[in-house]
Amino acid sequence: MRTNERLRQALSTLLQQQSLKQISVQKLTQKAQITRGTFYLHYKDKLDFLEQTEQQVIDEWFATAKTTTLTPQGEPITGFALGPALRYVDEHHQILLVLLHPQFTQFQPRLLQRFERELLAFGRQLPAPAGDDPPVDIQAAYLATAFTGLVHHWLNDNRRYRPEFLARTFCQLLAPETTPLATWFAPVGIDSPVNAEKA
């Protein structure tokens, strides 16, 4: 297991008993069963570890979900595969629950900014919007907030629904005819028949 994975698990476990301020590098390394020297080979201090972890989780999530879809004109375009994205959340639910907690003040804004940036880049690849389409920046903000809010709700609800069911449900809620950027969320990896709730 990677050093960062061990530290993520240690952080998740420690935060069940203590606040972030009470968790020291020594407590983290003891719980992760690594030396402080190993910690300092990778990170300057606890803040650096937290910032790198936040960015790594976001980057891993987006890399997992990256897919190529086609525009209405048949041109390849990068999208966000909902099935793999929500399976990533399911597999990494502990660290995501930790990072979405209010004591991590930078994670949610960073995550929203990344979603909005990716959606806006996607929008630049689409045909020119019709005159009555909502402005692209409003579409991006709406979709980013809707998806991250749904993920946060799902995590807080103990991931009651299967990732594939949640992906299908999110697709049903999207309205590409009025929100063209919604096509960035690709219904990829959700083909298998699925029961709604986990067994």
Side-chain angles (χ1 to χ4, degrees):
M1 183 182 297
R2 296 183 347 215
T3 299
N4 185 266
E5 277 295 319
R6 294 174 88 165
L7 287 165
R8 285 184 198 182
Q9 287 181 353
L11 179 64
S12 298
T13 302
L14 289 169
L15 281 169
Q16 293 172 10
Q17 305 147 358
Q18 306 169 42
S19 73
L20 184 59
K21 289 182 181 181
Q22 295 172 311
I23 298 172
S24 65
V25 169
Q26 182 176 355
K27 288 179 182 177
L28 269 173
T29 56
Q30 283 176 342
K31 193 64 146 171
Q33 298 180 337
I34 63 168
T35 66
R36 287 178 59 164
T38 300
F39 178 91
Y40 288 113
L41 280 174
H42 298 277
Y43 311 104
K44 291 185 280 189
D45 52 26
K46 183 174 91 171
L47 181 61
D48 184 43
F49 160 67
L50 296 173
E51 288 177 357
Q52 283 192 46
T53 297
E54 289 178 5
Q55 193 58 54
Q56 286 169 352
V57 167
I58 292 169
D59 291 345
E60 288 171 7
W61 193 5
F62 277 81
T64 299
K66 186 176 181 179
T67 190
T68 301
T69 59
L70 298 176
T71 64
Q73 294 75 31
E75 298 292 323
I77 194 166
T78 301
F80 188 80
L82 286 168
L86 290 169
R87 281 190 291 278
Y88 176 88
V89 173
D90 196 30
E91 292 166 14
H92 297 89
H93 66 275
Q94 287 180 311
I95 192 63
L96 282 162
L97 266 171
V98 165
L99 295 176
L100 287 166
H101 190 277
Q103 41 185 343
F104 288 85
T105 58
Q106 297 303 309
F107 182 72
Q108 197 157 357
R110 279 184 187 170
L111 183 60
L112 282 169
Q113 286 172 355
R114 177 70 178 269
F115 270 107
E116 289 180 22
R117 190 171 60 244
E118 297 283 341
L119 282 158
L120 289 171
F122 178 78
R124 287 190 289 276
Q125 299 174 60
L126 293 177
D132 57 346
D133 283 346
V136 173
D137 61 323
I138 291 175
Q139 291 181 55
Y142 168 74
L143 292 167
T145 304
F147 184 71
T148 58
L150 181 67
V151 166
H152 201 188
H153 169 76
W154 184 48
L155 289 169
N156 286 329
D157 194 30
N158 200 27
R159 302 174 346 273
R160 178 170 42 136
Y161 300 107
R162 295 182 182 278
E164 296 80 6
F165 176 79
L166 195 64
R168 277 200 188 104
T169 302
F170 187 71
C171 285
Q172 289 173 331
L173 295 170
L174 299 176
E177 59 281 353
T178 57
T179 313
L181 286 187
T183 58
W184 181 69
F185 290 99
V188 173
I190 59 174
D191 301 331
S192 59
V194 175
N195 295 329
E197 294 193 20
K198 291 185 176 182

